[in-house]
Amino acid sequence: MTLVLGIETSCDETAAAVVEDGRIVRSSLIASQHDLHEEFGGVVPEIASRAHAERITPILRGALKEAGVERADLDAIAVGNRPGLIGSLLVGLSAAKALAWALGRPLIGVDHVQAHLYAPLLEDAQGFAGLTDAEAFPALGLVVSGGHSSIYALRSPMDVERLGRTIDDAMGEAFDKAAAILGLGFPGGPALDRLAQTGDAGAHDFPVSRIGPGSLDFSFSGLKTAVLYAARGKPRREGGSTVFERDASELSEKERADLAASFQRAAVDAAVLKLGRAMERVEGARSLLVGGGVSANSALRAALEGFAKEKGVRLGLAPMRYCLDNAAMIAGLGSRLLAEGRVDDLSLRAAPTGG
Ligand code: KG4
Ligand code: ZN
């Protein structure tokens, strides 16, 4: 049996997990910082790093305790070391290095975005059993989160090629911005999802960005502007500042729900359109692996189910606890890297870019 401890601190979740044999989640603890960043309408890097530093030790202890594992039982320490906020990444990486050094175990740097694609292959005691390698690969991959909107071709969990990405906002960022326009707080994706359920998705004909005819890239900035203008009217310059015809608070509940539903439809249509194009490029694809916070979206989940059915591929959609940022996905992919001997030493660095 191989036991790997995973550590995740790339953004605003401090997480640790123990995974057995690359698949079975023995524990997965997540301390979210959403409450600390809410009043600023976005993640404040300095606050995030400080909160990680305060929380990492109790979270690590808790993950080991819940898994019923002693530190000495661990075979390796896996850590998300890219991409992310540099100050946040460094907290997790330092903890991982300290443990790896103290225990004399291998250290494994894991790409956070590739780890999101591994989440659908996990299994846990709460009844989730993801796809096996034989069911999953070759695979088409989609990661849609607050920081990423990318499409991948995967020949194995470690052999990942990016086919397309956003040229401006990430899909989750677009949800958060649209939610902010509608006055729904931060992060607004989940609130927009709920509001959209009572709206008419056909009320506004918002643009679905295609970019070029064969492009697999995303663009969400045009959609965001379209929502802004539909919600607040055309802007004009007045005394050096931009003034809108109305405030979003003047909209009725029905109007706001229609805007939310129409925005969501355009965003989901864009994802399905690009996945359709990408499918042609992944020969013999057996599955569609999906990760990242936006995969919680009810309309996207329904659309992906339809897409997978139509294309005759299995849909690898993890439960929410593994779609959002977590350390089980880091430990899982870390175990697979360990099995291939792809380990790092204590000179491993944190990198803000990757994926
Ligand atoms: O994966 P994640 O927790 O963090 C990043 O790695 O970025 O994703 C967070 C993003 C946020 O933008 C949040 O608004 C979005 O996922 N999100 C949703 C939903 N739940 C979370 N977006 C749309 N609908 C949802 N139900
Ligand atoms: Zn993430």
Side-chain angles (χ1 to χ4, degrees):
M1 179 174 62
T2 306
L3 288 172
V4 172
L5 173 73
I7 301 176
E8 156 62 34
T9 61
S10 68
C11 188
D12 60 346
E13 265 92 25
T14 315
V18 176
V19 169
E20 180 184 323
D21 293 335
R23 189 166 167 88
I24 305 163
V25 183
R26 296 263 297 250
S27 67
S28 176
L29 264 61
I30 304 169
S32 168
Q33 308 174 2
H34 287 170
D35 53 329
L36 300 181
H37 302 285
E38 190 170 8
E39 67 174 293
F40 304 102
V43 176
V44 183
E46 289 80 1
I47 294 176
S49 317
R50 183 180 293 258
H52 285 307
E54 285 166 3
R55 293 160 190 215
I56 189 74
T57 307
I59 283 285
L60 282 168
R61 285 213 179 99
L64 290 172
K65 188 160 178 242
E66 203 176 298
V69 163
E70 299 290 330
R71 272 185 287 187
D73 299 334
L74 297 170
D75 292 288
I77 316 295
V79 59
N81 71 319
R82 65 192 188 277
L85 299 170
I86 192 71
S88 292
L89 289 167
L90 282 170
V91 176
L93 182 60
S94 307
K97 283 183 179 177
L99 271 172
W101 179 75
L103 298 170
R105 297 287 190 276
L107 174 72
I108 304 159
V110 175
D111 183 296
H112 174 92
V113 186
Q114 287 184 17
H116 270 304
L117 294 167
Y118 191 79
L121 279 81
L122 295 168
E123 182 180 320
D124 68 15
Q126 287 102 67
F128 171 61
L131 301 181
T132 61
D133 273 22
E135 291 165 337
F137 301 101
L140 180 63
L142 174 72
V143 178
V144 276
S145 71
H148 304 275
S149 307
S150 301
I151 294 181
Y152 301 84
L154 296 95
R155 279 168 289 275
S156 80
M158 285 79 61
D159 186 350
V160 180
E161 179 195 354
R162 188 171 61 205
L163 301 177
R165 61 170 168 176
T166 182
I167 58 168
D168 40 55
D169 293 344
M171 193 162 170
E173 212 177 336
F175 268 89
D176 292 339
K177 286 178 179 168
I181 293 168
L182 298 174
L184 298 176
F186 173 84
L192 191 144
D193 188 350
R194 279 193 299 279
L195 180 61
Q197 279 160 26
T198 60
D200 172 7
H204 300 269
D205 191 17
F206 289 141
V208 176
S209 85
R210 290 162 194 280
I211 313 189
S215 172
L216 300 183
D217 289 334
F218 291 107
S219 166
F220 290 108
S221 66
L223 173 58
K224 178 190 65 191
T225 309
V227 173
L228 177 65
Y229 290 2
R232 304 195 54 192
K234 283 257 152 26
R236 60 177 197 284
R237 298 293 291 172
E238 215 176 82
S241 55
T242 305
V243 182
F244 286 92
E245 285 167 21
R246 59 182 169 272
D247 198 75
S249 60
E250 293 166 40
L251 297 169
S252 71
E253 195 58 20
K254 167 84 178 106
E255 285 169 325
R256 288 181 343 127
D258 286 352
L259 285 164
S262 302
F263 160 82
Q264 185 169 270
R265 180 204 43 80
V268 169
D269 283 357
V272 173
L273 171 82
K274 298 296 158 72
L275 284 174
R277 288 179 180 174
M279 199 67 181
E280 322 268 304
R281 311 227 194 136
V282 186
E283 214 177 302
R286 291 205 174 91
S287 75
L288 168 60
L289 304 177
V290 184
V294 187
S295 55
N297 184 265
S298 55
L300 180 64
R301 287 178 96 90
L304 293 175
E305 268 161 33
F307 175 84
K309 210 168 189 178
E310 186 196 316
K311 301 288 178 190
V313 296
R314 285 175 188 267
L315 180 61
L317 198 51
M320 278 321 300
R321 55 189 176 277
Y322 304 131
C323 283
L324 299 172
D325 283 353
N326 68 88
M329 64 184 192
I330 302 285
L333 183 54
S335 306
R336 305 297 296 264
L337 291 163
L338 176 70
E340 291 205 345
R342 289 164 67 174
V343 301
D344 297 285
D345 59 31
L346 295 177
S347 66
L348 181 67
R349 298 170 73 99
T353 55

